[in-house]
Short mmCIF file of all heavy atoms in Angstrom, two decimals:
data_model
loop_
_atom_site.label_atom_id
_atom_site.label_comp_id
_atom_site.label_asym_id
_atom_site.label_seq_id
_atom_site.Cartn_x
_atom_site.Cartn_y
_atom_site.Cartn_z
N MET A 1 21.13 1.50 -94.98
CA MET A 1 20.37 1.06 -93.80
C MET A 1 20.21 2.25 -92.84
O MET A 1 21.16 2.98 -92.58
CB MET A 1 21.09 -0.06 -93.12
CG MET A 1 20.45 -0.47 -91.79
SD MET A 1 21.51 -1.70 -91.03
CE MET A 1 20.79 -1.63 -89.39
N LYS A 2 19.03 2.42 -92.33
CA LYS A 2 18.75 3.48 -91.35
C LYS A 2 18.80 2.85 -89.98
O LYS A 2 18.03 1.98 -89.67
CB LYS A 2 17.40 4.11 -91.58
CG LYS A 2 17.04 5.16 -90.52
CD LYS A 2 16.21 6.24 -91.12
CE LYS A 2 15.69 7.20 -90.04
NZ LYS A 2 16.60 7.72 -89.14
N CYS A 3 19.72 3.30 -89.15
CA CYS A 3 19.87 2.79 -87.78
C CYS A 3 18.87 3.50 -86.88
O CYS A 3 18.63 4.68 -87.04
CB CYS A 3 21.29 2.93 -87.31
SG CYS A 3 22.48 1.95 -88.14
N ASP A 4 18.35 2.74 -85.91
CA ASP A 4 17.43 3.30 -84.94
C ASP A 4 17.62 2.56 -83.62
O ASP A 4 18.56 1.82 -83.44
CB ASP A 4 15.98 3.24 -85.44
CG ASP A 4 15.53 1.85 -85.79
OD1 ASP A 4 16.10 0.85 -85.29
OD2 ASP A 4 14.59 1.73 -86.59
N LEU A 5 16.67 2.74 -82.69
CA LEU A 5 16.77 2.10 -81.39
C LEU A 5 16.64 0.58 -81.46
O LEU A 5 17.02 -0.14 -80.53
CB LEU A 5 15.75 2.68 -80.41
CG LEU A 5 16.07 4.06 -79.87
CD1 LEU A 5 14.88 4.62 -79.10
CD2 LEU A 5 17.32 4.03 -79.00
N ASP A 6 16.12 0.06 -82.57
CA ASP A 6 15.93 -1.37 -82.73
C ASP A 6 17.15 -1.99 -83.43
O ASP A 6 17.20 -3.21 -83.55
CB ASP A 6 14.68 -1.70 -83.50
CG ASP A 6 13.43 -1.26 -82.65
OD1 ASP A 6 13.44 -1.50 -81.43
OD2 ASP A 6 12.44 -0.76 -83.25
N SER A 7 18.07 -1.19 -83.89
CA SER A 7 19.32 -1.69 -84.50
C SER A 7 20.29 -2.08 -83.39
O SER A 7 20.26 -1.52 -82.26
CB SER A 7 19.94 -0.61 -85.38
OG SER A 7 19.05 -0.16 -86.36
N SER A 8 21.21 -2.99 -83.69
CA SER A 8 22.22 -3.37 -82.72
C SER A 8 23.35 -2.35 -82.73
O SER A 8 23.53 -1.61 -83.72
CB SER A 8 22.78 -4.78 -83.00
OG SER A 8 23.57 -4.72 -84.19
N ILE A 9 24.11 -2.33 -81.66
CA ILE A 9 25.27 -1.40 -81.63
C ILE A 9 26.25 -1.73 -82.70
O ILE A 9 26.74 -0.77 -83.41
CB ILE A 9 25.91 -1.38 -80.20
CG1 ILE A 9 24.89 -0.73 -79.21
CG2 ILE A 9 27.24 -0.67 -80.20
CD1 ILE A 9 25.39 -0.72 -77.77
N PRO A 10 26.60 -3.01 -82.97
CA PRO A 10 27.52 -3.25 -84.09
C PRO A 10 26.97 -2.74 -85.42
O PRO A 10 27.77 -2.28 -86.26
CB PRO A 10 27.65 -4.79 -84.09
CG PRO A 10 27.45 -5.16 -82.65
CD PRO A 10 26.37 -4.20 -82.17
N GLU A 11 25.67 -2.80 -85.65
CA GLU A 11 25.12 -2.23 -86.89
C GLU A 11 25.32 -0.75 -86.96
O GLU A 11 25.69 -0.25 -88.02
CB GLU A 11 23.59 -2.54 -86.98
CG GLU A 11 23.28 -3.97 -87.22
CD GLU A 11 21.78 -4.29 -87.11
OE1 GLU A 11 21.06 -3.71 -86.27
OE2 GLU A 11 21.31 -5.10 -87.94
N TRP A 12 25.14 -0.05 -85.85
CA TRP A 12 25.42 1.37 -85.81
C TRP A 12 26.89 1.66 -86.19
O TRP A 12 27.19 2.53 -86.98
CB TRP A 12 25.18 1.94 -84.39
CG TRP A 12 23.78 2.35 -84.16
CD1 TRP A 12 22.75 1.60 -83.59
CD2 TRP A 12 23.21 3.62 -84.47
NE1 TRP A 12 21.61 2.37 -83.50
CE2 TRP A 12 21.86 3.61 -84.04
CE3 TRP A 12 23.72 4.82 -85.02
CZ2 TRP A 12 21.01 4.73 -84.20
CZ3 TRP A 12 22.87 5.90 -85.15
CH2 TRP A 12 21.54 5.83 -84.75
N ILE A 13 27.82 0.90 -85.60
CA ILE A 13 29.24 1.16 -85.80
C ILE A 13 29.65 0.87 -87.23
O ILE A 13 30.44 1.58 -87.83
CB ILE A 13 30.10 0.37 -84.77
CG1 ILE A 13 29.85 0.92 -83.38
CG2 ILE A 13 31.56 0.47 -85.15
CD1 ILE A 13 30.45 0.11 -82.25
N VAL A 14 29.07 -0.21 -87.81
CA VAL A 14 29.38 -0.52 -89.21
C VAL A 14 28.90 0.59 -90.15
O VAL A 14 29.60 1.06 -91.03
CB VAL A 14 28.80 -1.87 -89.61
CG1 VAL A 14 28.81 -2.08 -91.10
CG2 VAL A 14 29.55 -3.01 -88.95
N GLU A 15 27.67 1.06 -89.91
CA GLU A 15 27.06 2.09 -90.76
C GLU A 15 27.61 3.48 -90.49
O GLU A 15 27.76 4.26 -91.40
CB GLU A 15 25.54 2.12 -90.59
CG GLU A 15 24.81 0.94 -91.14
CD GLU A 15 24.91 0.86 -92.67
OE1 GLU A 15 24.75 1.92 -93.33
OE2 GLU A 15 25.13 -0.25 -93.16
N HIS A 16 27.98 3.73 -89.24
CA HIS A 16 28.42 5.06 -88.82
C HIS A 16 29.54 4.93 -87.79
O HIS A 16 29.33 5.01 -86.57
CB HIS A 16 27.26 5.83 -88.16
CG HIS A 16 26.01 5.91 -89.01
ND1 HIS A 16 25.94 6.73 -90.09
CD2 HIS A 16 24.84 5.25 -88.91
CE1 HIS A 16 24.73 6.60 -90.67
NE2 HIS A 16 24.07 5.67 -89.96
N PRO A 17 30.75 4.70 -88.27
CA PRO A 17 31.90 4.46 -87.34
C PRO A 17 32.08 5.58 -86.34
O PRO A 17 32.58 5.35 -85.25
CB PRO A 17 33.10 4.35 -88.29
CG PRO A 17 32.51 3.99 -89.62
CD PRO A 17 31.16 4.56 -89.70
N GLU A 18 31.65 6.75 -86.67
CA GLU A 18 31.84 7.92 -85.78
C GLU A 18 31.00 7.79 -84.50
O GLU A 18 31.20 8.53 -83.53
CB GLU A 18 31.54 9.23 -86.55
CG GLU A 18 30.09 9.38 -86.95
CD GLU A 18 29.72 8.72 -88.29
OE1 GLU A 18 30.47 7.86 -88.79
OE2 GLU A 18 28.70 9.11 -88.84
N THR A 19 30.06 6.84 -84.49
CA THR A 19 29.22 6.69 -83.27
C THR A 19 29.92 5.91 -82.19
O THR A 19 29.46 5.90 -81.02
CB THR A 19 27.86 6.01 -83.65
OG1 THR A 19 28.14 4.72 -84.17
CG2 THR A 19 27.10 6.85 -84.62
N GLU A 20 31.01 5.23 -82.49
CA GLU A 20 31.65 4.42 -81.49
C GLU A 20 32.04 5.18 -80.24
O GLU A 20 31.93 4.76 -79.14
CB GLU A 20 32.89 3.72 -82.10
CG GLU A 20 33.46 2.70 -81.16
CD GLU A 20 34.55 1.82 -81.85
OE1 GLU A 20 34.92 2.10 -82.97
OE2 GLU A 20 34.93 0.84 -81.18
N ARG A 21 32.43 6.46 -80.42
CA ARG A 21 32.81 7.30 -79.29
C ARG A 21 31.64 7.56 -78.37
O ARG A 21 31.76 7.69 -77.15
CB ARG A 21 33.44 8.59 -79.75
CG ARG A 21 32.55 9.51 -80.53
CD ARG A 21 33.32 10.79 -80.95
NE ARG A 21 32.58 11.48 -81.99
CZ ARG A 21 31.61 12.34 -81.72
NH1 ARG A 21 31.30 12.58 -80.49
NH2 ARG A 21 30.99 12.95 -82.73
N VAL A 22 30.41 7.61 -78.92
CA VAL A 22 29.21 7.84 -78.10
C VAL A 22 28.97 6.61 -77.25
O VAL A 22 28.65 6.72 -76.06
CB VAL A 22 27.98 8.14 -79.00
CG1 VAL A 22 26.70 8.29 -78.17
CG2 VAL A 22 28.24 9.40 -79.81
N PHE A 23 29.09 5.44 -77.84
CA PHE A 23 28.93 4.19 -77.06
C PHE A 23 29.95 4.08 -75.91
O PHE A 23 29.60 3.70 -74.80
CB PHE A 23 28.98 2.96 -77.97
CG PHE A 23 27.91 2.95 -79.01
CD1 PHE A 23 28.24 2.91 -80.33
CD2 PHE A 23 26.57 3.01 -78.63
CE1 PHE A 23 27.22 2.92 -81.31
CE2 PHE A 23 25.57 3.00 -79.60
CZ PHE A 23 25.91 2.96 -80.93
N LYS A 24 31.16 4.51 -76.21
CA LYS A 24 32.21 4.49 -75.14
C LYS A 24 31.88 5.51 -74.05
O LYS A 24 32.06 5.23 -72.90
CB LYS A 24 33.58 4.79 -75.77
CG LYS A 24 34.11 3.64 -76.56
CD LYS A 24 35.49 3.94 -77.14
CE LYS A 24 35.96 2.74 -77.93
NZ LYS A 24 37.29 2.99 -78.48
N GLU A 25 31.39 6.66 -74.45
CA GLU A 25 31.01 7.70 -73.51
C GLU A 25 29.95 7.21 -72.52
O GLU A 25 30.02 7.46 -71.33
CB GLU A 25 30.52 8.92 -74.27
CG GLU A 25 30.05 10.06 -73.38
CD GLU A 25 29.46 11.18 -74.19
OE1 GLU A 25 29.86 11.43 -75.35
OE2 GLU A 25 28.58 11.86 -73.64
N PHE A 26 28.95 6.48 -73.03
CA PHE A 26 27.89 5.96 -72.21
C PHE A 26 28.23 4.62 -71.58
O PHE A 26 27.41 4.03 -70.87
CB PHE A 26 26.59 5.82 -73.00
CG PHE A 26 25.87 7.18 -73.20
CD1 PHE A 26 26.07 7.86 -74.34
CD2 PHE A 26 25.03 7.66 -72.21
CE1 PHE A 26 25.44 9.07 -74.54
CE2 PHE A 26 24.39 8.88 -72.39
CZ PHE A 26 24.62 9.61 -73.57
N ARG A 27 29.45 4.11 -71.87
CA ARG A 27 29.92 2.79 -71.38
C ARG A 27 29.00 1.67 -71.76
O ARG A 27 28.65 0.79 -70.94
CB ARG A 27 30.14 2.84 -69.87
CG ARG A 27 31.25 3.80 -69.50
CD ARG A 27 31.58 3.69 -68.03
NE ARG A 27 32.81 4.41 -67.75
CZ ARG A 27 32.83 5.50 -66.96
NH1 ARG A 27 31.72 5.95 -66.45
NH2 ARG A 27 33.93 6.13 -66.78
N LEU A 28 28.55 1.68 -73.04
CA LEU A 28 27.71 0.61 -73.52
C LEU A 28 28.52 -0.49 -74.17
O LEU A 28 29.49 -0.18 -74.92
CB LEU A 28 26.67 1.21 -74.52
CG LEU A 28 25.70 2.24 -73.96
CD1 LEU A 28 24.82 2.82 -75.04
CD2 LEU A 28 24.83 1.59 -72.84
N ASP A 29 28.12 -1.69 -73.97
CA ASP A 29 28.84 -2.85 -74.53
C ASP A 29 28.64 -2.90 -76.03
O ASP A 29 27.55 -3.14 -76.51
CB ASP A 29 28.30 -4.13 -73.89
CG ASP A 29 28.97 -5.39 -74.40
OD1 ASP A 29 29.96 -5.32 -75.16
OD2 ASP A 29 28.50 -6.49 -74.04
N THR A 30 29.72 -2.68 -76.79
CA THR A 30 29.62 -2.61 -78.26
C THR A 30 29.54 -4.01 -78.88
O THR A 30 29.29 -4.10 -80.09
CB THR A 30 30.80 -1.83 -78.83
OG1 THR A 30 32.03 -2.43 -78.44
CG2 THR A 30 30.77 -0.38 -78.43
N SER A 31 29.74 -5.02 -78.11
CA SER A 31 29.63 -6.43 -78.68
C SER A 31 28.24 -7.00 -78.44
O SER A 31 27.88 -7.96 -79.11
CB SER A 31 30.67 -7.32 -78.11
OG SER A 31 30.51 -7.47 -76.72
N CYS A 32 27.50 -6.52 -77.57
CA CYS A 32 26.09 -6.78 -77.18
C CYS A 32 25.38 -8.00 -77.74
O CYS A 32 24.18 -8.10 -77.54
CB CYS A 32 25.26 -5.51 -77.42
SG CYS A 32 24.90 -5.16 -79.13
N GLY A 33 26.00 -8.87 -78.45
CA GLY A 33 25.38 -10.11 -78.95
C GLY A 33 24.13 -9.91 -79.80
O GLY A 33 23.24 -10.73 -79.78
N GLY A 34 24.06 -8.84 -80.54
CA GLY A 34 22.94 -8.62 -81.45
C GLY A 34 21.68 -8.00 -80.79
O GLY A 34 20.65 -7.87 -81.41
N LYS A 35 21.81 -7.67 -79.48
CA LYS A 35 20.65 -7.04 -78.82
C LYS A 35 20.46 -5.65 -79.37
O LYS A 35 21.41 -4.98 -79.86
CB LYS A 35 20.91 -6.95 -77.30
CG LYS A 35 21.22 -8.25 -76.66
CD LYS A 35 19.95 -9.07 -76.49
CE LYS A 35 20.24 -10.31 -75.65
NZ LYS A 35 19.51 -11.45 -75.99
N SER A 36 19.21 -5.15 -79.32
CA SER A 36 18.91 -3.83 -79.80
C SER A 36 19.53 -2.75 -78.95
O SER A 36 19.80 -2.94 -77.75
CB SER A 36 17.43 -3.60 -79.91
OG SER A 36 16.88 -3.46 -78.59
N LEU A 37 19.79 -1.60 -79.52
CA LEU A 37 20.28 -0.47 -78.81
C LEU A 37 19.39 -0.14 -77.63
O LEU A 37 19.88 0.10 -76.50
CB LEU A 37 20.45 0.76 -79.73
CG LEU A 37 20.86 2.05 -79.05
CD1 LEU A 37 22.18 1.93 -78.36
CD2 LEU A 37 20.87 3.17 -80.08
N ARG A 38 18.11 -0.18 -77.85
CA ARG A 38 17.13 0.10 -76.78
C ARG A 38 17.36 -0.86 -75.58
O ARG A 38 17.44 -0.46 -74.46
CB ARG A 38 15.71 -0.06 -77.31
CG ARG A 38 14.61 0.20 -76.28
CD ARG A 38 13.24 -0.06 -76.85
NE ARG A 38 13.03 0.11 -78.25
CZ ARG A 38 12.65 1.25 -78.83
NH1 ARG A 38 12.41 2.32 -78.10
NH2 ARG A 38 12.51 1.29 -80.15
N TYR A 39 17.47 -2.19 -75.88
CA TYR A 39 17.66 -3.21 -74.85
C TYR A 39 18.94 -2.94 -74.06
O TYR A 39 18.95 -2.98 -72.85
CB TYR A 39 17.72 -4.58 -75.53
CG TYR A 39 17.99 -5.71 -74.62
CD1 TYR A 39 16.90 -6.37 -73.99
CD2 TYR A 39 19.24 -6.13 -74.25
CE1 TYR A 39 17.11 -7.44 -73.11
CE2 TYR A 39 19.51 -7.15 -73.38
CZ TYR A 39 18.46 -7.84 -72.82
OH TYR A 39 18.66 -8.86 -71.96
N VAL A 40 20.03 -2.67 -74.80
CA VAL A 40 21.32 -2.47 -74.13
C VAL A 40 21.28 -1.21 -73.25
O VAL A 40 21.75 -1.25 -72.11
CB VAL A 40 22.46 -2.34 -75.18
CG1 VAL A 40 23.76 -1.98 -74.50
CG2 VAL A 40 22.62 -3.63 -75.95
N CYS A 41 20.64 -0.16 -73.70
CA CYS A 41 20.53 1.06 -72.91
C CYS A 41 19.75 0.80 -71.64
O CYS A 41 20.16 1.22 -70.55
CB CYS A 41 19.83 2.20 -73.71
SG CYS A 41 20.84 2.87 -75.04
N ILE A 42 18.60 0.17 -71.76
CA ILE A 42 17.76 -0.09 -70.62
C ILE A 42 18.50 -0.90 -69.56
O ILE A 42 18.51 -0.57 -68.35
CB ILE A 42 16.46 -0.79 -71.04
CG1 ILE A 42 15.57 0.24 -71.81
CG2 ILE A 42 15.68 -1.33 -69.83
CD1 ILE A 42 14.38 -0.40 -72.51
N HIS A 43 19.20 -1.95 -70.01
CA HIS A 43 19.93 -2.80 -69.10
C HIS A 43 21.15 -2.12 -68.55
O HIS A 43 21.72 -2.56 -67.51
CB HIS A 43 20.21 -4.15 -69.74
CG HIS A 43 18.94 -4.97 -69.81
ND1 HIS A 43 18.52 -5.77 -68.81
CD2 HIS A 43 18.02 -5.06 -70.79
CE1 HIS A 43 17.37 -6.32 -69.12
NE2 HIS A 43 17.03 -5.90 -70.34
N ALA A 44 21.65 -1.09 -69.14
CA ALA A 44 22.80 -0.32 -68.63
C ALA A 44 22.39 0.83 -67.79
O ALA A 44 23.21 1.54 -67.22
CB ALA A 44 23.69 0.17 -69.80
N GLY A 45 21.06 1.07 -67.72
CA GLY A 45 20.51 2.15 -66.91
C GLY A 45 20.63 3.51 -67.50
O GLY A 45 20.72 4.52 -66.77
N VAL A 46 20.68 3.60 -68.82
CA VAL A 46 20.75 4.89 -69.49
C VAL A 46 19.51 5.10 -70.35
O VAL A 46 18.86 4.12 -70.76
CB VAL A 46 22.05 5.11 -70.31
CG1 VAL A 46 23.24 5.06 -69.46
CG2 VAL A 46 22.15 4.08 -71.42
N SER A 47 19.19 6.31 -70.66
CA SER A 47 18.00 6.68 -71.41
C SER A 47 18.19 6.39 -72.93
O SER A 47 19.05 6.99 -73.56
CB SER A 47 17.70 8.13 -71.23
OG SER A 47 16.76 8.59 -72.20
N PRO A 48 17.40 5.42 -73.49
CA PRO A 48 17.54 5.18 -74.91
C PRO A 48 17.33 6.42 -75.75
O PRO A 48 18.14 6.69 -76.67
CB PRO A 48 16.45 4.13 -75.21
CG PRO A 48 16.29 3.39 -73.92
CD PRO A 48 16.47 4.48 -72.83
N PRO A 49 16.31 7.33 -75.48
CA PRO A 49 16.18 8.51 -76.33
C PRO A 49 17.36 9.45 -76.23
O PRO A 49 17.80 10.07 -77.22
CB PRO A 49 14.91 9.22 -75.79
CG PRO A 49 14.16 8.10 -75.16
CD PRO A 49 15.18 7.15 -74.59
N GLU A 50 18.01 9.53 -75.04
CA GLU A 50 19.17 10.40 -74.87
C GLU A 50 20.35 9.87 -75.71
O GLU A 50 21.06 10.65 -76.38
CB GLU A 50 19.56 10.47 -73.40
CG GLU A 50 20.76 11.36 -73.15
CD GLU A 50 21.18 11.45 -71.71
OE1 GLU A 50 20.51 10.90 -70.80
OE2 GLU A 50 22.25 12.01 -71.43
N VAL A 51 20.59 8.58 -75.62
CA VAL A 51 21.67 7.98 -76.42
C VAL A 51 21.39 8.15 -77.90
O VAL A 51 22.30 8.57 -78.68
CB VAL A 51 21.85 6.46 -76.10
CG1 VAL A 51 22.89 5.84 -77.03
CG2 VAL A 51 22.29 6.34 -74.63
N PHE A 52 20.18 7.92 -78.34
CA PHE A 52 19.81 8.08 -79.73
C PHE A 52 20.06 9.51 -80.20
O PHE A 52 20.57 9.73 -81.30
CB PHE A 52 18.32 7.67 -79.94
CG PHE A 52 17.95 7.66 -81.40
CD1 PHE A 52 18.41 6.70 -82.28
CD2 PHE A 52 17.11 8.65 -81.90
CE1 PHE A 52 18.05 6.71 -83.63
CE2 PHE A 52 16.74 8.66 -83.21
CZ PHE A 52 17.21 7.70 -84.08
N GLN A 53 19.67 10.47 -79.38
CA GLN A 53 19.90 11.86 -79.77
C GLN A 53 21.39 12.17 -79.94
O GLN A 53 21.78 12.83 -80.90
CB GLN A 53 19.30 12.79 -78.67
CG GLN A 53 19.40 14.24 -79.01
CD GLN A 53 18.74 15.10 -77.95
OE1 GLN A 53 18.70 14.74 -76.76
NE2 GLN A 53 18.25 16.23 -78.34
N ARG A 54 22.19 11.64 -79.03
CA ARG A 54 23.65 11.86 -79.15
C ARG A 54 24.22 11.20 -80.41
O ARG A 54 25.13 11.70 -81.08
CB ARG A 54 24.36 11.32 -77.90
CG ARG A 54 24.07 12.09 -76.66
CD ARG A 54 24.66 13.49 -76.71
NE ARG A 54 26.04 13.51 -77.07
CZ ARG A 54 27.06 13.38 -76.23
NH1 ARG A 54 26.86 13.32 -74.93
NH2 ARG A 54 28.30 13.34 -76.71
N LEU A 55 23.67 9.98 -80.75
CA LEU A 55 24.12 9.29 -81.95
C LEU A 55 23.75 10.09 -83.17
O LEU A 55 24.59 10.25 -84.10
CB LEU A 55 23.51 7.89 -81.99
CG LEU A 55 24.01 6.92 -80.94
CD1 LEU A 55 23.15 5.69 -80.90
CD2 LEU A 55 25.49 6.56 -81.22
N GLU A 56 22.55 10.60 -83.21
CA GLU A 56 22.13 11.43 -84.39
C GLU A 56 22.99 12.64 -84.50
O GLU A 56 23.38 13.03 -85.59
CB GLU A 56 20.67 11.81 -84.20
CG GLU A 56 19.70 10.70 -84.47
CD GLU A 56 18.24 11.18 -84.54
OE1 GLU A 56 17.86 11.99 -83.63
OE2 GLU A 56 17.56 10.82 -85.50
N LEU A 57 23.34 13.28 -83.37
CA LEU A 57 24.22 14.43 -83.40
C LEU A 57 25.61 14.03 -83.94
O LEU A 57 26.16 14.75 -84.74
CB LEU A 57 24.34 15.00 -81.97
CG LEU A 57 25.19 16.24 -81.82
CD1 LEU A 57 24.61 17.42 -82.66
CD2 LEU A 57 25.31 16.61 -80.35
N ALA A 58 26.14 12.89 -83.50
CA ALA A 58 27.44 12.48 -84.00
C ALA A 58 27.43 12.22 -85.48
O ALA A 58 28.35 12.60 -86.22
CB ALA A 58 27.88 11.20 -83.24
N VAL A 59 26.38 11.57 -85.96
CA VAL A 59 26.24 11.30 -87.39
C VAL A 59 26.07 12.56 -88.17
O VAL A 59 26.71 12.77 -89.22
CB VAL A 59 25.11 10.29 -87.67
CG1 VAL A 59 24.82 10.17 -89.16
CG2 VAL A 59 25.41 8.93 -87.06
N GLY A 60 25.23 13.46 -87.71
CA GLY A 60 24.99 14.73 -88.36
C GLY A 60 26.24 15.59 -88.41
O GLY A 60 26.56 16.22 -89.44
N THR A 61 26.97 15.65 -87.33
CA THR A 61 28.23 16.44 -87.28
C THR A 61 29.23 15.87 -88.23
O THR A 61 29.89 16.58 -88.95
CB THR A 61 28.79 16.40 -85.83
OG1 THR A 61 27.84 16.99 -84.98
CG2 THR A 61 30.09 17.21 -85.74
N SER A 62 29.32 14.56 -88.29
CA SER A 62 30.26 13.88 -89.23
C SER A 62 29.89 14.25 -90.65
O SER A 62 30.78 14.58 -91.45
CB SER A 62 30.23 12.40 -89.02
OG SER A 62 31.03 11.77 -89.98
N LYS A 63 28.64 14.26 -91.02
CA LYS A 63 28.24 14.55 -92.36
C LYS A 63 28.54 15.98 -92.70
O LYS A 63 28.94 16.30 -93.81
CB LYS A 63 26.76 14.26 -92.56
CG LYS A 63 26.46 12.80 -92.62
CD LYS A 63 25.01 12.48 -92.84
CE LYS A 63 24.81 10.97 -92.93
NZ LYS A 63 23.40 10.60 -93.10
N LEU A 64 28.34 16.87 -91.71
CA LEU A 64 28.65 18.30 -91.96
C LEU A 64 30.14 18.49 -92.17
O LEU A 64 30.56 19.38 -92.90
CB LEU A 64 28.17 19.14 -90.78
CG LEU A 64 26.68 19.29 -90.54
CD1 LEU A 64 26.37 20.03 -89.29
CD2 LEU A 64 26.09 20.02 -91.74
N ASP A 65 30.96 17.69 -91.48
CA ASP A 65 32.41 17.75 -91.67
C ASP A 65 32.89 17.09 -92.94
O ASP A 65 34.08 17.09 -93.25
CB ASP A 65 33.13 17.06 -90.50
CG ASP A 65 32.95 17.82 -89.20
OD1 ASP A 65 32.60 19.01 -89.22
OD2 ASP A 65 33.16 17.22 -88.11
N GLY A 66 31.97 16.50 -93.69
CA GLY A 66 32.35 15.84 -94.94
C GLY A 66 32.91 14.44 -94.74
O GLY A 66 33.45 13.87 -95.64
N GLN A 67 32.77 13.89 -93.56
CA GLN A 67 33.28 12.55 -93.26
C GLN A 67 32.22 11.48 -93.35
O GLN A 67 32.57 10.32 -93.31
CB GLN A 67 33.91 12.55 -91.84
CG GLN A 67 35.04 13.50 -91.71
CD GLN A 67 35.49 13.61 -90.25
OE1 GLN A 67 34.89 12.97 -89.35
NE2 GLN A 67 36.49 14.40 -90.00
N GLY A 68 30.97 11.86 -93.39
CA GLY A 68 29.92 10.84 -93.40
C GLY A 68 29.82 10.15 -94.74
O GLY A 68 29.73 10.81 -95.76
N ALA A 69 29.86 8.86 -94.70
CA ALA A 69 29.69 8.08 -95.94
C ALA A 69 28.20 7.82 -96.11
O ALA A 69 27.50 7.48 -95.15
CB ALA A 69 30.47 6.76 -95.86
N GLY A 70 27.71 7.93 -97.30
CA GLY A 70 26.30 7.68 -97.43
C GLY A 70 26.02 7.11 -98.70
O GLY A 70 25.30 6.57 -99.30
#
């Protein structure tokens, strides 16, 4: 599954556990009731593209470290 701004935060964490630290950094609710990442970001007052960029970086770094499952 490819996660994007329309995926929920729990979907991100299941697919890419290394992203959980990014959600904590931005203080985003990781239980979010199935709402999209975009929705949660907007309602938390943070930039969805900025969060997405950080998530991609976390996933990419993990894969470079050999920890990314794919």
Side-chain angles (χ1 to χ4, degrees):
M1 173 184 164
K2 176 149 173 49
C3 292
D4 57 23
L5 285 171
D6 295 320
S7 303
S8 70
I9 292 176
E11 288 173 323
W12 273 94
I13 294 171
V14 167
E15 289 294 317
H16 307 285
E18 65 276 18
T19 61
E20 188 168 9
R21 64 183 165 83
V22 176
F23 298 122
K24 287 181 180 178
E25 177 184 330
F26 282 96
R27 294 189 170 114
L28 296 174
D29 180 8
T30 56
S31 63
C32 74
K35 303 284 188 215
S36 71
L37 174 59
R38 181 185 329 270
Y39 178 92
V40 174
C41 288
I42 290 169
H43 287 273
V46 298
S47 165
E50 181 181 352
V51 173
F52 185 72
Q53 184 178 29
R54 292 294 309 271
L55 292 168
E56 286 188 313
L57 182 62
V59 171
T61 300
S62 175
K63 287 182 180 178
L64 290 175
D65 291 342
Q67 298 172 359

